[in-house]
Amino acid sequence: MYPQVARASAWGRLHLAPRHPAQFIVVGFAAAILAGTGLLMLPVAKVGPGGAGFLEALFTATSAVCVTGLIIVDTPVFWTPFGHGIILALIQVGGFGIMSFASLLGILLARRLGLRSRISTAVETKSGSFGDVQRVLLGVLKVSLLIEGITAAALTWRFATGYSYPLPDALWLGVFHAVSAFNNAGFALFSDSLISFATDPWICVPVGLAVIMGGLGFPVLFELRREYRTPLHWTMNTRLVLSGTAILLLAGGIFITAVEWGNPGTLGPMTPGGKIQAGFFQSVMTRTAGFNSVDFAALHPVTWLFMDVLMFIGGGPAGTAGGLKITTFGVLFFILHTEIRGGTAVNVFGKRLPRSVHRQALTIVLLAVALVIISTMFLMLITDFALDRLLFEVVSAFGTVGLSTGITAQLPIAGQFLLIIVMFVGRLGPITLASALALRSKPLLYEYPKERPLIG
C-alpha cells in the first residue's frame, strides 16, 4: 500500500525506506494508528473484564488519529478514563500532524532537525521553505494551545457552574471537548454527543468557534495574526478560505434551519432562537468536526444530501479539517466561472492561477469522487441500508467529519474495515496526492500536436 524502495547500507544490510517525503507522513500516521490500537486493546483502557477487540480498538484509533469522530462503541461507556486519555492524545497528535509532532519533539529535545525531517514537515504543514519549519511548528504549537486553553476554560466554567460538575470533572470535560473541537475530531464524553446542550450557547458557541478556527488552517491563522489590519495584503489562500468558509457556513445554517424547522425529531420542539442556534451549529459541524446537537437519524433525507456536499468540501488546507478543502473547491468554481464567461485565463482575486493548479484540483476531485462512489457501492452490496444513509457515512469518513446517521456500529465487519480505509485516505490522501503532484512536476522537452474531441 505504501511505495517503498530497498536501499543497501554501507554495511551491506538491506533497509526499506520511503522515497517520497509524503510517504513519511503516510507511514507515520499508520504507525500512530497501530500504536494507538495496541494501547486501546489493553485491559485498563476498557470498562469491564478483558481488553477491547482488535476491530474496536483499530476503528477508534483510526478515527482519533485521523480526527474523524466516527465510532462503533459508545465512547463514554465503553472506554475507561485511561482509554479516554489515549483517545485524547491520539486526537492531539493526529490534528497537529504526525511529522509535525515528531519534528517538534526533535526541536524541543535535540534543538535541531535533519534534512529529511524538515522536508517531510514542510510537506505536511505547507511551509514556504525548509528553513521556515521550526518557526512554523512553534507557531502551530502556540496557536493550538492558546485556542484549546481558552475553549477549555470557557467550557470548564460552564460545566462547573451551569451543570454542577465537580471542578476536576468539569476541567476534564472542558479540556477533552476543547481539544476534540479545535482538532475537528468530534469525539464527545456524552453518549448523545452534545444533544443535551443543543440550546445552551455557553457550550455550543465555544465549541463552534474552536471548530471554525481549527478548520481555517494554520497558514490562515498565522496570516490573520500578522496582517489582520491589512486585508488587501492577504494571500489568495487566505481570501479563498475566509470567503468560502463564510459562504458555506451561512448557506448551510440557513438551509438546515429552514428544512428542519418543523421536524419533530430535530428542531421542531425547540424555541425559534434554539432552532437557529442548533441549525447553525450543525452547519459548523459539517466543516469536518462531527459533534451533533440533534438526532441525525431523524434528519430529512434532503438535509443529509446537502450535508454530504458540505462535508465533501471540508475546511481549509494545512489545518485540522478534512475533505477536499475549500481552496480546491474554490479553484474549481473559478475555473467554471472563467469557462462560462469565455475567458482564457483563470483569475482569482486579481491573480492568475497556474495551469498546474487546475490539473491538481481536477485530479484530486475526480479521485475523491471515485473513492466515495466505489465505497458506497460496496456498502450497498453487503448491507440492506438505504443509499442516502450509506453515502452519508462514506462522505463523513472521507471528509474526516464523524457525523453519522447511526448505522456505523451496525455495519458488517467488512463495512467497518472499509470505513477505516476511507478515513485514512480521506485524512492523508489530499495531503500526499497534492504534494506528490507538486513535487513530481517537471518540464517536457517536446509537445504533441493539439486536437480537440467533441465536448458535451
Side-chain angles (χ1 to χ4, degrees):
M1 183 175 178
Y2 313 116
Q4 293 180 321
V5 294
R7 298 188 308 175
S9 69
W11 301 98
R13 291 178 298 183
L14 194 64
H15 296 278
L16 292 177
R19 176 187 297 174
H20 194 282
Q23 294 173 14
F24 285 98
I25 302 173
V26 174
V27 173
F29 267 83
I33 290 172
L34 292 177
T37 301
L39 290 172
L40 290 176
M41 291 179 69
L42 296 175
V44 70
K46 175 183 171 295
V47 174
F54 176 73
L55 178 59
E56 297 160 339
L58 177 64
F59 194 100
T60 303
T62 303
S63 185
V65 172
C66 296
V67 290
T68 304
L70 284 176
I71 56 174
I72 58 175
V73 294
D74 190 353
T75 302
V77 175
F78 188 86
W79 304 108
T80 64
F82 176 83
H84 297 156
I86 295 300
I87 293 172
L88 184 66
L90 294 176
I91 291 172
Q92 187 72 78
V93 171
F96 193 83
I98 298 299
M99 295 308 302
S100 300
F101 183 77
S103 297
L104 179 64
L105 289 180
I107 293 173
L108 297 178
L109 297 178
R111 300 295 179 181
R112 63 185 180 84
L113 288 176
L115 178 60
R116 177 176 293 180
S117 295
R118 291 203 302 271
I119 294 174
S120 300
T121 306
V123 169
E124 188 175 58
T125 60
K126 309 296 184 186
S127 301
S129 66
F130 302 148
D132 293 336
V133 168
Q134 181 168 332
R135 178 180 58 81
V136 169
L137 287 178
L138 294 177
V140 169
L141 178 64
K142 293 176 183 178
V143 169
S144 300
L145 294 179
L146 176 63
I147 296 176
E148 290 172 354
I150 294 174
T151 306
L155 294 178
T156 299
W157 170 81
R158 185 57 178 169
F159 284 129
T161 60
Y163 298 93
S164 302
Y165 281 97
L167 184 57
D169 294 341
L171 179 61
W172 173 241
L173 289 173
V175 170
F176 188 96
H177 291 92
V179 173
S180 184
F182 178 71
N183 288 285
N184 281 214
F187 277 90
L189 294 182
F190 303 99
S191 296
D192 63 352
S193 190
L194 299 182
I195 292 179
S196 300
F197 312 103
T199 58
D200 186 347
W202 299 105
I203 297 292
C204 292
V205 171
V207 169
L209 290 176
V211 168
I212 293 173
M213 297 291 283
L216 292 178
F218 292 111
V220 174
L221 295 177
F222 293 160
E223 185 162 2
L224 290 178
R225 184 179 63 179
R226 296 191 310 266
E227 306 284 352
Y228 69 94
R229 293 182 178 178
T230 55
L232 293 178
H233 295 167
W234 291 349
T235 61
M236 181 191 298
N237 179 77
T238 296
R239 295 185 183 189
L240 280 173
V241 171
L242 291 179
S243 58
T245 298
I247 292 172
L248 293 175
L249 288 178
L250 182 62
I254 293 174
F255 185 91
I256 295 170
T257 304
V259 173
E260 299 295 327
W261 187 271
N263 187 339
T266 56
L267 304 185
M270 301 180 185
T271 63
K275 293 179 181 181
I276 294 174
Q277 175 181 299
F280 275 85
F281 183 79
Q282 293 311 146
S283 177
V284 172
M285 294 307 112
T286 60
R287 312 313 307 138
T288 81
F291 293 106
N292 62 287
S293 61
V294 297
D295 183 5
F296 265 62
L299 289 173
H300 193 285
V302 73
T303 304
W304 287 337
L305 183 59
F306 186 77
M307 286 182 167
D308 288 340
V309 176
L310 296 179
M311 293 189 298
F312 190 71
I313 295 172
T320 61
L324 285 178
K325 303 298 187 291
I326 292 176
T327 46
T328 305
F329 179 77
V331 166
L332 292 180
F333 171 81
F334 281 102
I335 291 175
L336 178 64
H337 180 263
T338 301
E339 192 65 28
I340 291 176
R341 296 190 60 183
T344 57
V346 180
N347 300 314
V348 181
F349 302 126
K351 299 291 180 65
R352 182 170 58 87
L353 279 179
R355 292 191 179 275
S356 59
V357 175
H358 306 185
R359 297 192 299 270
Q360 290 174 22
L362 289 171
T363 301
I364 291 174
V365 169
L366 291 177
L367 290 177
V369 170
L371 174 66
V372 169
I373 292 177
I374 293 172
S375 300
T376 304
M377 291 172 64
F378 178 78
L379 291 180
M380 291 176 68
L381 289 174
I382 64 174
T383 71
D384 295 325
F385 292 112
L387 169 62
D388 49 8
R389 289 178 179 267
L390 294 176
L391 178 63
F392 191 94
E393 302 297 311
V394 171
V395 174
S396 180
F398 169 76
T400 67
V401 182
L403 295 174
S404 173
T405 61
I407 66 172
T408 303
Q410 303 173 45
L411 293 175
I413 293 177
Q416 293 175 355
F417 271 111
L418 174 68
L419 290 186
I420 289 174
I421 296 172
V422 173
M423 284 190 288
F424 189 81
V425 174
R427 174 61 175 158
L428 297 178
I431 298 175
T432 55
L433 181 58
S435 301
L437 291 174
L439 294 178
R440 289 183 62 185
S441 178
K442 51 187 178 182
L444 290 176
L445 301 179
Y446 61 91
E447 288 187 354
Y448 291 106
K450 291 182 178 180
E451 184 176 352
R452 294 175 58 89
L454 298 177
I455 301 296

